[in-house]
Amino acid sequence: MADLVSPGVGNALTVHDTEIDAVKVVQQVRRGDDRGWFSRAWCAREMAAAGLDARLAQVNVSSTAVRGTVRGLHLQRGPHAESKLVHVLHGAILDVAVDVRPGSPTRHQHVARELTADNGMGLYIPMGFAHGFQTLTDDVVMLYVMSEFYEPGAESGLAHDDPAFAIPWPLPVSVLSDKDARHPHVQE
C-alpha cells in the first residue's frame, strides 16, 4: 500500500470551508502502510489553530441499524449550546447542519456532506446550528466529539422536513423516532 499522505506533511487534520463560513469539513490525514492506516479524529491544538471550538466535554458513539433512518434535527439551546465534530466509523451518512442563529445572513440555510468510513471526512457543526443525518447504508456507527455536556433540559429540535430548510434527503425516510417526528417547524 502506498503512503496516503505526502512526506513532510505535519498536520493530522486539515480544515476546509463550506458554503456557510462557520461550518467546516475536517479531513483526517491518513498515514498508511501494508498494515492499514492511522489518523487522528480530534486534535485540540489543530482545531484551535483553525479557529474552531476546541473544548472537549464528551465523546459519544451512536449506532443506527437501518438505511434511510433520519435522526434530527437536534440542538442544545442556551448556556448549554454545543459545537460538535462528527465522523463515521462504519457505513455512510448524509450529515446536515442547519443555521438557526438569530440574525444570521445564512439563517435556515444548510450544509450537507456525505461522510463515510472510507473518506475520513468529518463535519464540524458550531453552536447555533441544528444537526441531523440520514443513513445511506445499514449498520452505521458514528463518533461525536462534543464541546459541552449533554443537558436534557436544554435539548431541542426542529422538523427534518421543514420546507424552510429545503434539505434534499437522498432516500425515503425508513425510520424516524416518535420524538423526532414531533419536532416543530421553524416559527418566523
Side-chain angles (χ1 to χ4, degrees):
M1 176 184 290
D3 196 9
L4 297 175
V5 67
S6 301
V9 174
N11 290 349
L13 302 170
T14 59
V15 178
H16 306 278
D17 293 333
T18 67
E19 308 86 288
I20 300 176
D21 188 47
V23 178
K24 305 292 183 187
V25 169
V26 177
Q27 182 68 50
Q28 299 170 2
V29 176
R30 293 180 172 175
R31 291 172 170 83
D33 59 24
D34 292 337
R35 301 166 295 172
W37 54 264
F38 174 86
S39 72
R40 274 190 204 147
W42 176 261
C43 179
R45 188 175 317 152
E46 291 182 25
M47 297 291 284
L52 306 179
D53 188 350
R55 293 175 295 151
L56 174 60
Q58 288 182 224
V59 177
N60 302 321
V61 177
S62 77
S63 172
T64 305
V66 178
R67 178 180 185 258
T69 298
V70 170
R71 290 188 183 226
L73 301 167
H74 303 142
L75 69 153
Q76 282 198 159
R77 297 204 183 267
H80 303 287
E82 62 197 3
S83 298
K84 63 181 83 169
L85 177 62
V86 178
H87 287 287
V88 172
L89 303 177
H90 186 267
I93 66 170
L94 180 73
D95 205 31
V96 178
V98 178
D99 189 350
V100 294
R101 298 172 295 176
S104 169
T106 57
R107 185 171 169 83
H108 297 166
Q109 293 179 27
H110 69 276
V111 170
R113 291 293 187 277
E114 186 172 324
L115 308 182
T116 73
D118 293 332
N119 72 14
M121 199 183 306
L123 194 63
Y124 172 80
I125 302 149
M127 287 182 255
F129 283 73
H131 173 248
F133 65 90
Q134 183 174 46
T135 55
L136 303 177
T137 62
D138 290 334
D139 302 318
V140 170
V141 178
M142 296 168 55
L143 179 77
Y144 295 75
V145 179
M146 315 294 285
S147 68
E148 293 294 332
F149 296 103
Y150 171 70
E151 181 60 42
E155 185 178 36
S156 185
L158 294 166
H160 77 283
D161 58 354
D162 192 323
F165 308 143
I167 300 168
W169 300 106
L171 301 172
V173 176
S174 60
V175 179
L176 183 69
S177 73
D178 291 340
K179 184 177 181 179
D180 284 353
R182 290 190 303 269
H183 288 319
H185 288 75
V186 295
Q187 305 293 316
E188 291 298 349

